[in-house]
Amino acid sequence: MATSYATVTWDQLHRDARQLAAELMPRGPFRGIVAITRGGLIPAAIIARELDCRLIETVSVVTYDEEKQGSATVIKQPEAAGDGEGFLIIDDLVDSGVTAQVVRGLLPKALFACLYAKPAGRSLTDLFVVEVPQETWVLFPWDTAPLFIPPLARRDDTPRS
Ligand SMILES: O=P(O)(O)OC[C@H]1O[C@H](OP(=O)(O)OP(=O)(O)O)[C@H](O)[C@@H]1O
Ligand SMILES: Nc1nc2[nH]cnc2c(=O)[nH]1
Ligand SMILES: [Mg+2]
């Protein structure tokens, strides 16, 4: 259960994805990228652009319904990636590591990289950019929208002397 939230903006996500791409450069070149849908799609697009990689495959793993974790089900296989040799797997984050474990099982020879990692899943990654506390829920830019907040002086719940 999350006790706090961390909001990631589009700018921050773009910076983090470019940093990951820079760290991946010496590990390449890659034959292709496998994006774990859906969260890995946008990071994979940014990284593919930076690494000049045109072959993008996807693997679809359904694990969460909003913040509720269930068992991981693969609903689309990464057929073009074979056993993963020469491929780079990209996801937005690892949390428990269940999704990463399932995808690594499908593509044992691929490199696994993601933007954010929580302690329980970090050992399943080859590379990540930022560690996030286990109890923090990351809010991605595609999950959020700016919201109007009334001024303090007009809020009914503001204490007045
Ligand atoms: O390490 P885990 O505990 O498995 O959690 C990490 C996974 O959870 C999220 O995906 P989600 O299942 O919410 O689907 P989505 O990418 O389609 O939003 C996230 O994008 C990772 O793929
Ligand atoms: N958006 C989001 N999805 C997740 N799936 C597992 N952990 C998380 C998280 O912290 N944020
Ligand atoms: Mg996902």
Side-chain angles (χ1 to χ4, degrees):
M1 181 68 192
T3 55
S4 65
Y5 291 87
T7 303
V8 178
T9 64
W10 285 111
D11 275 1
Q12 190 62 52
L13 185 105
H14 202 169
R15 269 196 297 277
D16 291 338
R18 280 183 164 147
Q19 185 179 326
L20 184 58
E23 290 171 21
L24 284 163
M25 274 296 290
R27 312 286 291 263
F30 298 98
R31 284 177 57 208
I33 291 178
V34 176
I36 304 181
T37 70
R38 295 157 303 176
L41 285 167
I42 289 169
I46 296 167
I47 288 160
R49 188 267 180 187
E50 296 303 327
L51 300 186
D52 206 13
C53 181
R54 306 263 173 175
L55 178 64
I56 315 291
E57 172 61 292
T58 57
V59 57
S60 302
V61 186
V62 179
T63 313
Y64 287 81
D65 181 12
E66 297 196 351
E67 293 184 33
K68 193 169 173 296
Q69 187 178 19
S71 56
T73 310
V74 179
I75 61 167
K76 191 246 167 213
Q77 296 280 341
E79 277 164 20
D83 62 4
E85 183 146 26
F87 275 79
L88 169 66
I89 304 165
I90 295 289
D91 206 352
D92 51 357
L93 100 164
V94 294
D95 185 328
S96 66
V98 166
T99 305
Q101 201 161 22
V102 168
V103 176
R104 273 191 175 284
L106 299 173
L107 302 166
K109 296 198 173 161
L111 194 79
F112 188 106
C114 61
L115 301 179
Y116 311 113
K118 299 190 191 180
R122 59 171 287 169
S123 66
L124 285 148
T125 73
D126 293 306
L127 219 54
F128 65 90
V129 182
V130 179
E131 183 159 332
V132 177
Q134 194 65 45
E135 59 285 353
T136 297
W137 189 261
V138 180
L139 288 171
F140 288 100
W142 48 85
D143 290 330
T144 56
L147 188 68
F148 174 79
I149 304 286
L152 280 177
R154 295 195 198 166
R155 278 166 50 170
D156 291 341
D157 58 351
T158 304
R160 292 183 178 81
S161 54

